[in-house]
mmCIF file of all heavy atoms in Angstrom:
data_model
loop_
_atom_site.group_PDB
_atom_site.id
_atom_site.type_symbol
_atom_site.label_atom_id
_atom_site.label_comp_id
_atom_site.label_asym_id
_atom_site.label_seq_id
_atom_site.Cartn_x
_atom_site.Cartn_y
_atom_site.Cartn_z
ATOM 1 N N GLU A 1138 -10.985 31.029 3.881
ATOM 2 C CA GLU A 1138 -11.966 31.285 2.837
ATOM 3 C C GLU A 1138 -11.616 32.576 2.064
ATOM 4 O O GLU A 1138 -11.699 32.655 0.842
ATOM 5 C CB GLU A 1138 -13.364 31.384 3.468
ATOM 6 C CG GLU A 1138 -14.497 31.876 2.553
ATOM 7 C CD GLU A 1138 -14.718 31.020 1.299
ATOM 8 O OE1 GLU A 1138 -14.158 29.911 1.240
ATOM 9 O OE2 GLU A 1138 -15.409 31.504 0.377
ATOM 10 N N ARG A 1142 -10.671 32.949 -1.927
ATOM 11 C CA ARG A 1142 -11.296 33.876 -2.893
ATOM 12 C C ARG A 1142 -10.235 34.698 -3.621
ATOM 13 O O ARG A 1142 -10.334 34.907 -4.822
ATOM 14 C CB ARG A 1142 -12.240 34.822 -2.160
ATOM 15 C CG ARG A 1142 -13.523 34.152 -1.672
ATOM 16 C CD ARG A 1142 -14.471 35.161 -1.087
ATOM 17 N NE ARG A 1142 -14.729 36.238 -2.052
ATOM 18 C CZ ARG A 1142 -15.242 37.420 -1.733
ATOM 19 N NH1 ARG A 1142 -15.531 37.714 -0.499
ATOM 20 N NH2 ARG A 1142 -15.460 38.329 -2.662
ATOM 21 N N GLU A 1147 -11.105 36.313 -7.205
ATOM 22 C CA GLU A 1147 -12.374 36.996 -6.929
ATOM 23 C C GLU A 1147 -12.050 38.351 -6.324
ATOM 24 O O GLU A 1147 -11.106 38.485 -5.577
ATOM 25 C CB GLU A 1147 -13.210 36.195 -5.920
ATOM 26 C CG GLU A 1147 -14.151 35.205 -6.557
ATOM 27 C CD GLU A 1147 -14.954 34.438 -5.507
ATOM 28 O OE1 GLU A 1147 -15.371 35.061 -4.515
ATOM 29 O OE2 GLU A 1147 -15.158 33.246 -5.693
ATOM 30 N N VAL A 1149 -12.691 41.454 -3.799
ATOM 31 C CA VAL A 1149 -13.278 41.717 -2.494
ATOM 32 C C VAL A 1149 -14.100 42.997 -2.597
ATOM 33 O O VAL A 1149 -13.615 43.983 -3.168
ATOM 34 C CB VAL A 1149 -12.179 41.869 -1.431
ATOM 35 C CG1 VAL A 1149 -12.764 42.185 -0.072
ATOM 36 C CG2 VAL A 1149 -11.294 40.637 -1.390
ATOM 37 N N ALA A 1167 -4.352 53.091 -0.632
ATOM 38 C CA ALA A 1167 -5.269 53.979 -1.342
ATOM 39 C C ALA A 1167 -5.132 55.429 -0.846
ATOM 40 O O ALA A 1167 -5.204 56.373 -1.625
ATOM 41 C CB ALA A 1167 -6.709 53.481 -1.181
ATOM 42 N N MET A 1225 -8.520 62.561 6.585
ATOM 43 C CA MET A 1225 -7.433 62.294 5.637
ATOM 44 C C MET A 1225 -6.809 63.603 5.163
ATOM 45 O O MET A 1225 -5.592 63.720 5.075
ATOM 46 C CB MET A 1225 -7.943 61.473 4.451
ATOM 47 C CG MET A 1225 -8.340 60.048 4.863
ATOM 48 S SD MET A 1225 -8.757 59.039 3.453
ATOM 49 C CE MET A 1225 -10.477 59.410 3.225
ATOM 50 N N ASP A 1228 -4.773 64.979 8.032
ATOM 51 C CA ASP A 1228 -3.548 64.215 8.290
ATOM 52 C C ASP A 1228 -2.462 64.543 7.258
ATOM 53 O O ASP A 1228 -1.291 64.537 7.576
ATOM 54 C CB ASP A 1228 -3.850 62.705 8.255
ATOM 55 C CG ASP A 1228 -4.512 62.226 9.546
ATOM 56 O OD1 ASP A 1228 -4.630 63.056 10.480
ATOM 57 O OD2 ASP A 1228 -4.904 61.039 9.608
ATOM 58 N N THR A 1234 0.283 61.655 7.500
ATOM 59 C CA THR A 1234 0.352 60.708 6.362
ATOM 60 C C THR A 1234 1.223 61.324 5.283
ATOM 61 O O THR A 1234 1.471 62.536 5.280
ATOM 62 C CB THR A 1234 -1.041 60.420 5.787
ATOM 63 O OG1 THR A 1234 -1.669 61.649 5.457
ATOM 64 C CG2 THR A 1234 -1.895 59.634 6.765
ATOM 65 N N TYR A 1236 2.741 61.395 1.008
ATOM 66 C CA TYR A 1236 2.369 61.329 -0.389
ATOM 67 C C TYR A 1236 3.622 60.821 -1.115
ATOM 68 O O TYR A 1236 4.669 60.637 -0.495
ATOM 69 C CB TYR A 1236 1.957 62.705 -0.908
ATOM 70 C CG TYR A 1236 2.962 63.774 -0.562
ATOM 71 C CD1 TYR A 1236 4.024 64.062 -1.418
ATOM 72 C CD2 TYR A 1236 2.883 64.442 0.664
ATOM 73 C CE1 TYR A 1236 4.964 65.005 -1.057
ATOM 74 C CE2 TYR A 1236 3.827 65.393 0.999
ATOM 75 C CZ TYR A 1236 4.864 65.676 0.146
ATOM 76 O OH TYR A 1236 5.800 66.609 0.492
ATOM 77 N N ALA A 1248 10.609 72.325 -19.474
ATOM 78 C CA ALA A 1248 11.067 70.975 -19.864
ATOM 79 C C ALA A 1248 10.827 69.972 -18.722
ATOM 80 O O ALA A 1248 10.596 68.795 -18.983
ATOM 81 C CB ALA A 1248 12.553 71.011 -20.218
ATOM 82 N N TYR A 1276 -11.042 49.576 -5.542
ATOM 83 C CA TYR A 1276 -9.741 50.158 -5.915
ATOM 84 C C TYR A 1276 -9.342 49.742 -7.318
ATOM 85 O O TYR A 1276 -8.894 50.551 -8.103
ATOM 86 C CB TYR A 1276 -8.691 49.714 -4.902
ATOM 87 C CG TYR A 1276 -7.331 50.379 -5.047
ATOM 88 C CD1 TYR A 1276 -7.172 51.755 -4.817
ATOM 89 C CD2 TYR A 1276 -6.201 49.633 -5.368
ATOM 90 C CE1 TYR A 1276 -5.943 52.354 -4.956
ATOM 91 C CE2 TYR A 1276 -4.964 50.237 -5.482
ATOM 92 C CZ TYR A 1276 -4.834 51.590 -5.278
ATOM 93 O OH TYR A 1276 -3.594 52.183 -5.396
ATOM 94 N N ALA A 1315 16.486 68.588 -17.760
ATOM 95 C CA ALA A 1315 15.287 68.138 -17.027
ATOM 96 C C ALA A 1315 15.343 66.618 -16.856
ATOM 97 O O ALA A 1315 15.016 66.085 -15.793
ATOM 98 C CB ALA A 1315 14.020 68.548 -17.762
ATOM 99 N N PRO A 1330 14.729 48.717 -2.897
ATOM 100 C CA PRO A 1330 14.925 47.356 -3.417
ATOM 101 C C PRO A 1330 14.179 46.305 -2.566
ATOM 102 O O PRO A 1330 14.020 46.499 -1.355
ATOM 103 C CB PRO A 1330 16.437 47.140 -3.288
ATOM 104 C CG PRO A 1330 17.031 48.514 -3.261
ATOM 105 C CD PRO A 1330 16.006 49.410 -2.613
ATOM 106 N N LYS A 1346 -0.595 44.299 -3.266
ATOM 107 C CA LYS A 1346 0.441 44.530 -4.262
ATOM 108 C C LYS A 1346 0.512 43.301 -5.154
ATOM 109 O O LYS A 1346 0.331 42.186 -4.672
ATOM 110 C CB LYS A 1346 1.814 44.658 -3.559
ATOM 111 C CG LYS A 1346 2.266 46.106 -3.324
ATOM 112 C CD LYS A 1346 3.549 46.092 -2.490
ATOM 113 C CE LYS A 1346 4.788 46.103 -3.377
ATOM 114 N NZ LYS A 1346 5.205 47.374 -3.902
ATOM 115 N N ASP A 1351 11.291 45.877 -7.439
ATOM 116 C CA ASP A 1351 12.383 45.668 -8.399
ATOM 117 C C ASP A 1351 11.867 45.206 -9.764
ATOM 118 O O ASP A 1351 12.400 45.577 -10.797
ATOM 119 C CB ASP A 1351 13.388 44.639 -7.843
ATOM 120 C CG ASP A 1351 14.297 45.282 -6.788
ATOM 121 O OD1 ASP A 1351 14.489 46.522 -6.834
ATOM 122 O OD2 ASP A 1351 14.784 44.576 -5.898
ATOM 123 N N ALA A 1365 14.751 56.849 -24.312
ATOM 124 C CA ALA A 1365 15.527 58.077 -24.043
ATOM 125 C C ALA A 1365 16.759 58.130 -24.949
ATOM 126 O O ALA A 1365 17.059 59.176 -25.552
ATOM 127 C CB ALA A 1365 15.934 58.132 -22.586
ATOM 128 N N LEU A 1370 18.940 61.484 -25.763
ATOM 129 C CA LEU A 1370 19.218 61.845 -24.374
ATOM 130 C C LEU A 1370 20.341 60.975 -23.833
ATOM 131 O O LEU A 1370 20.473 59.820 -24.230
ATOM 132 C CB LEU A 1370 17.960 61.672 -23.530
ATOM 133 C CG LEU A 1370 16.828 62.663 -23.774
ATOM 134 C CD1 LEU A 1370 15.502 62.116 -23.243
ATOM 135 C CD2 LEU A 1370 17.167 64.013 -23.153
ATOM 136 N N ASP A 1402 21.382 43.752 -21.737
ATOM 137 C CA ASP A 1402 22.059 42.486 -21.442
ATOM 138 C C ASP A 1402 21.402 41.405 -22.278
ATOM 139 O O ASP A 1402 20.250 41.054 -22.093
ATOM 140 C CB ASP A 1402 21.890 42.165 -19.935
ATOM 141 C CG ASP A 1402 22.639 40.901 -19.535
ATOM 142 O OD1 ASP A 1402 22.833 40.023 -20.404
ATOM 143 O OD2 ASP A 1402 23.005 40.782 -18.336
ATOM 144 N N ARG A 1447 -16.306 74.209 2.273
ATOM 145 C CA ARG A 1447 -16.766 72.962 2.935
ATOM 146 C C ARG A 1447 -17.897 73.280 3.911
ATOM 147 O O ARG A 1447 -18.870 72.580 3.989
ATOM 148 C CB ARG A 1447 -15.583 72.287 3.659
ATOM 149 C CG ARG A 1447 -14.609 71.617 2.726
ATOM 150 C CD ARG A 1447 -13.578 70.789 3.482
ATOM 151 N NE ARG A 1447 -12.797 71.583 4.413
ATOM 152 C CZ ARG A 1447 -11.726 72.318 4.045
ATOM 153 N NH1 ARG A 1447 -11.312 72.304 2.805
ATOM 154 N NH2 ARG A 1447 -11.068 73.011 4.939
ATOM 155 N N ALA A 1454 -22.780 77.117 7.661
ATOM 156 C CA ALA A 1454 -22.478 78.547 7.569
ATOM 157 C C ALA A 1454 -23.778 79.340 7.460
ATOM 158 O O ALA A 1454 -23.837 80.382 6.823
ATOM 159 C CB ALA A 1454 -21.585 78.800 6.361
#
Side-chain angles (χ1 to χ4, degrees):
Chain A
E1138 170 59 12
R1142 288 186 55 198
E1147 268 180 40
V1149 179
M1225 292 187 274
D1228 282 355
T1234 54
Y1236 50 89
Y1276 187 65
K1346 262 174 92 82
D1351 284 333
L1370 289 162
D1402 183 333
R1447 286 188 300 277

